[in-house]
Amino acid sequence: SLFQDKTDEIKQTINFETPVSQPDVPFILIVDDDVEFVTHTKTFVEREGFQVVIALTGEKGLELFYQVKPSLIILDQALPDIDGIELLKQIFVKAQKDVVPIVMVGTSDCEENRIKAYEMGATDFIAKPLNMNVLIPFLHNRIRHRKHMLKQIGEDELTGAYNRKYLERELSSQLVMLKKDDRMAALSFIIVDIDHFKSVNDRFGHPKGDEVLKEFVHTFMKIKAPMDTISRYGGEEFAIVMPDTSKTEAFERIKAWRESFSNVTFNAGDNTFNVMFSAGIKEVTVNDDHLNRIIEQADKALYHAKETGRNKTQF
Ligand code: GH3
Ligand code: MG
Ligand code: MG
Ligand code: MG
């Protein structure tokens, strides 16, 4: 089909591998089947220092939305598979929660399209052709605004994890969901703490310690399930909420993280070093009501992991 030909053609010009995210560089996800448009826009937007990921279909867009955690989405109204408005419907709740602006682009600037887009939760609607001279300051504006919003709702500035305030809201709202939804048996609440972190600071300095903290969260982002959230609980202590996840599933996911993180070699002058962590899991079921009690039990499991040698996960 024409669409397939176009896809093959663009595969040669656009890197389709999902890029490894650099922590501080925002991702812009473009979901659009118009090859010329995406190629052109990608070039301009990348020149501004953003990372760009492209989906030529709605299905791919949906997948990448969960995978790359974009900071902003440019979404075509007319896609070959899922309707743009339909895709918007599917991602709206999560996008809103993560403060991800959705910029809908349409071929015709009719009133009806605009209304539909706004009603379904699009942040903006822009008619094609897009003027790059305007698009670029527009993107900077939205990304700047997003950063501000994230700080307001509770993002930890150093690591990009959520903060403690957010965690408490997230855990209680997931508890409500758990009680509402019979298909969910449990959720896992995990507290993790970096092993001998003080000695990283002592030996290599605080900036190096900060780098370790960022990388710690970054490696979690790569292995996490879409609904998992990580929050900075204290200095080098983080709390993770894994909805619809049993303790054995949580254990396996943490294991993957453990493998990924322990493989990161940090450089400090002539030295290289690796860092480990310990984790305590509390499996939360409908019978668990008290947040403090849940946190206490995860903490206890973590303490047990520390006591029995560190670099391990305990229930
Ligand atoms: P353990 O294996 O028992 O967890 O030992 P530890 O050294 O990791 O534990 P401890 O709680 O004694 O040390 C935590 C250290 O984390 C102390 C504090 O200076 C450091 N820390 C807390 N917040 C930050 C931060 O934002 N950046 C850096 N670089 N260090 C931090
Ligand atoms: Mg289209
Ligand atoms: Mg520690
Ligand atoms: Mg600690």
Side-chain angles (χ1 to χ4, degrees):
S1 71
L2 178 62
F3 175 66
Q4 191 54 49
D5 291 347
K6 271 191 165 182
T7 307
D8 290 342
E9 168 196 324
I10 198 169
K11 268 184 183 155
Q12 292 159 18
T13 51
I14 295 179
N15 175 14
F16 259 77
E17 296 308 306
T18 305
V20 179
S21 74
Q22 299 161 247
D24 300 327
V25 184
F27 262 121
I28 311 277
L29 170 63
I30 305 178
V31 188
D32 198 311
D33 60 319
D34 178 346
V35 176
E36 214 170 297
F37 168 75
V38 294
T39 316
H40 184 63
T41 311
K42 185 180 194 294
T43 309
F44 270 89
V45 173
E46 277 180 344
R47 218 178 275 162
E48 286 301 307
F50 296 115
Q51 302 181 81
V52 177
V53 236
I54 283 163
L56 292 179
T57 63
E59 201 63 56
K60 187 73 188 167
L62 196 59
E63 183 192 323
L64 287 174
F65 170 63
Y66 283 105
Q67 208 178 337
V68 304
K69 277 194 114 200
S71 296
L72 182 145
I73 303 170
I74 296 175
L75 175 60
D76 183 21
Q77 200 164 33
L79 290 162
D81 52 348
I82 319 171
D83 184 56
I85 293 284
E86 181 53 37
L87 182 61
L88 179 58
K89 240 192 233 169
Q90 291 184 35
I91 63 176
F92 173 67
V93 173
K94 187 172 159 52
Q96 183 163 260
K97 190 169 155 213
D98 295 343
V99 204
V100 179
I102 302 170
V103 182
M104 186 141 259
V105 291
T107 38
S108 101
D109 191 9
C110 70
E111 195 177 277
E112 219 173 288
N113 284 350
R114 253 173 210 274
I115 292 171
K116 237 195 260 164
Y118 291 144
E119 279 179 350
M120 295 318 299
T123 321
D124 292 282
F125 180 96
I126 306 179
K128 287 181 186 175
L130 270 61
N131 178 343
M132 291 300 142
N133 291 333
V134 178
L135 181 70
I136 298 304
F138 169 82
L139 291 179
H140 282 298
N141 171 299
R142 290 307 136 104
I143 296 290
R144 194 166 55 233
H145 184 65
R146 173 172 192 259
K147 272 191 191 149
H148 178 73
M149 293 294 289
L150 284 173
K151 232 179 278 169
Q152 299 284 314
I153 66 154
E155 191 185 90
D156 170 52
E157 219 171 323
L158 176 70
T159 62
Y162 292 112
N163 63 21
R164 194 166 178 150
K165 188 170 80 186
Y166 181 91
L167 165 71
E168 277 158 21
R169 267 186 283 143
E170 171 70 6
L171 183 55
S172 38
S173 80
Q174 288 303 334
L175 269 179
V176 172
M177 300 278 271
L178 181 67
K179 286 176 202 291
K180 260 198 207 153
D181 192 341
D182 295 337
R183 287 165 305 178
M184 285 188 210
L187 71 86
S188 285
F189 178 74
I190 305 124
I191 301 184
V192 294
D193 183 294
I194 297 177
D195 294 335
H196 304 301
F197 187 60
K198 194 171 174 305
S199 101
V200 172
N201 280 330
D202 291 347
R203 283 151 70 206
F204 310 114
H206 266 74
K208 198 44 79 173
D210 285 355
E211 190 185 314
V212 171
L213 287 174
K214 282 195 218 174
E215 190 59 31
F216 186 59
V217 172
H218 181 53
T219 50
F220 176 74
M221 294 304 184
K222 288 194 281 191
I223 62 89
K224 82 184 200 66
M227 294 307 290
D228 295 352
T229 53
I230 182 164
S231 310
R232 195 164 178 198
Y233 193 62
E236 34 84 76
E237 222 171 292
F238 293 82
I240 293 163
V241 180
M242 294 183 175
D244 198 15
T245 304
S246 70
K247 61 183 175 189
T248 48
E249 288 168 321
F251 186 91
E252 286 306 312
R253 213 171 292 156
I254 300 281
K255 191 173 159 196
W257 182 20
R258 194 178 282 303
E259 271 160 21
S260 158
F261 185 60
S262 65
N263 279 327
V264 177
T265 299
F266 294 96
N267 295 301
D270 293 336
N271 297 298
T272 63
F273 64 98
N274 301 83
V275 184
M276 314 292 157
F277 67 91
S278 300
I281 301 176
K282 160 66 182 162
E283 188 181 66
V284 181
T285 64
V286 283
N287 303 316
D288 292 294
D289 271 318
H290 301 287
L291 293 193
N292 288 343
R293 183 95 188 95
I294 291 166
I295 295 169
E296 231 174 73
Q297 286 177 312
D299 234 339
K300 213 165 151 189
L302 170 64
Y303 181 77
H304 192 49
K306 291 279 185 189
E307 282 294 282
T308 55
R310 293 178 171 77
N311 188 22
K312 60 160 82 165
T313 304
Q314 290 282 346
F315 299 132

